Amino acid sequence: MSRRPSGLSRRLGDGAPVPFMGSLPPKSRSSSIGLVVLLGAFLIIGYLYNYSASGPDTFHTLRFQAGSSCTSEIFQALPYLKNAYGDSMRKVLHVGPDTCTVVSRLLREDDTEAWGVEPYDLDDADAKCNSLVRKGIVRVSDIKFPLPYRSKSFSLVIVSDALDYLSPKYLNKTLPELARVSSNGFIIFSGYPGQRTFKVDELSKFGRPAKLRSATWWIRFFVQSKIEENEDAIKKFELAAAKKHYQSSGCQIFHLKSFI
């Protein structure tokens, strides 16, 4: 996914001697060595800065290694989701960690109603999140079990950073539930393999590190689960994203059909 800075290693690690270093007295030689090391450090920092700014692919790779999530990618993709789904974005359920943030953002959109399912405890929830819970807009619910909604309760379901923590045993139950409670499809935001490292607090909260799977694995799993990709939504989303040069480099986005 990301490009390796091979040019940097050739420039700094080719074994070429520093001119005149051997002819300097010991004290001057130490000062010169320190100056060279310091200069090299600045060159590396500058190179990595330019490297991270060279394109969205590289930036998101570095950001995910720092522990970010696919949930934040929803905000970047939102304009293109609206292009792809149109009126289906008017009644949305978000499923995943930090759902209070996503729901609050969706509720600011015109003509949009939003609800959320938080799969894990909300021990550190703020006052605004607690208010959404009290109103029944956000629910805490283990997604390994049936979702607490009737069939086709929502026009669209968006799930992020939740399925990566489920084994295939539970995915077999959760995916059909996402298809059941949606009427016009559901969208999965999932991390790329090797793109993100888990943190200690993540492990304690989710019980296991994320299992980031390839697109090939997911598509095979969809076929086995008799869940179809939404080709029409895929085309509209990609067309809208291409016009603005948007490309999700930190997350895979799957557009799937609801059960008829």
Side-chain angles (χ1 to χ4, degrees), residues 188-260:
I188 296 174
F189 285 75
S190 176
Y192 282 108
Q195 289 296 312
R196 188 179 64 188
T197 58
F198 70 90
K199 300 177 290 184
V200 173
D201 58 341
E202 180 184 66
L203 184 58
S204 62
K205 181 175 183 178
F206 304 134
R208 56 180 291 173
K211 178 69 173 179
L212 303 181
R213 302 163 171 114
S214 67
T216 302
W217 188 95
W218 277 113
I219 292 171
R220 187 185 303 119
F221 195 86
F222 298 149
V223 171
Q224 292 173 354
S225 304
K226 295 181 171 51
I227 292 175
E228 299 179 20
E229 289 191 274
N230 191 334
E231 297 292 344
D232 184 53
I234 291 172
K235 290 177 183 177
K236 290 180 179 179
F237 179 83
E238 291 181 346
L239 181 61
K243 288 181 179 179
K244 296 294 184 179
H245 306 290
Y246 165 79
Q247 183 179 3
S248 174
S249 53
C251 298
Q252 304 174 89
I253 304 176
F254 300 101
H255 305 262
L256 303 162
K257 291 183 179 181
S258 304
F259 287 154
I260 299 175

Side-chain angles (χ1 to χ4, degrees), residues 33-52:
I33 292 174
L35 181 61
V36 169
V37 171
L38 184 62
L39 179 60
F42 279 116
L43 286 173
I44 292 173
I45 293 171
Y47 181 88
L48 292 177
Y49 177 83
N50 291 329
Y51 180 63
S52 66

Side-chain angles (χ1 to χ4, degrees), residues 153-200:
S153 292
F154 309 96
S155 53
L156 190 68
V157 174
I158 302 173
V159 56
S160 61
D161 294 318
L163 302 183
D164 293 334
Y165 295 92
L166 297 183
S167 66
K169 171 185 174 181
Y170 290 111
L171 284 174
N172 275 320
K173 300 178 180 179
T174 302
L175 286 181
E177 278 295 289
L178 299 173
R180 179 185 67 80
V181 301
S182 60
S183 59
N184 295 325
F186 64 103
I187 306 163
I188 296 174
F189 285 75
S190 176
Y192 282 108
Q195 289 296 312
R196 188 179 64 188
T197 58
F198 70 90
K199 300 177 290 184
V200 173

Side-chain angles (χ1 to χ4, degrees), residues 3 50-60 249:
R3 302 179 297 275
N50 291 329
Y51 180 63
S52 66
S54 62
D57 287 0
T58 307
F59 174 78
H60 283 290
S249 53

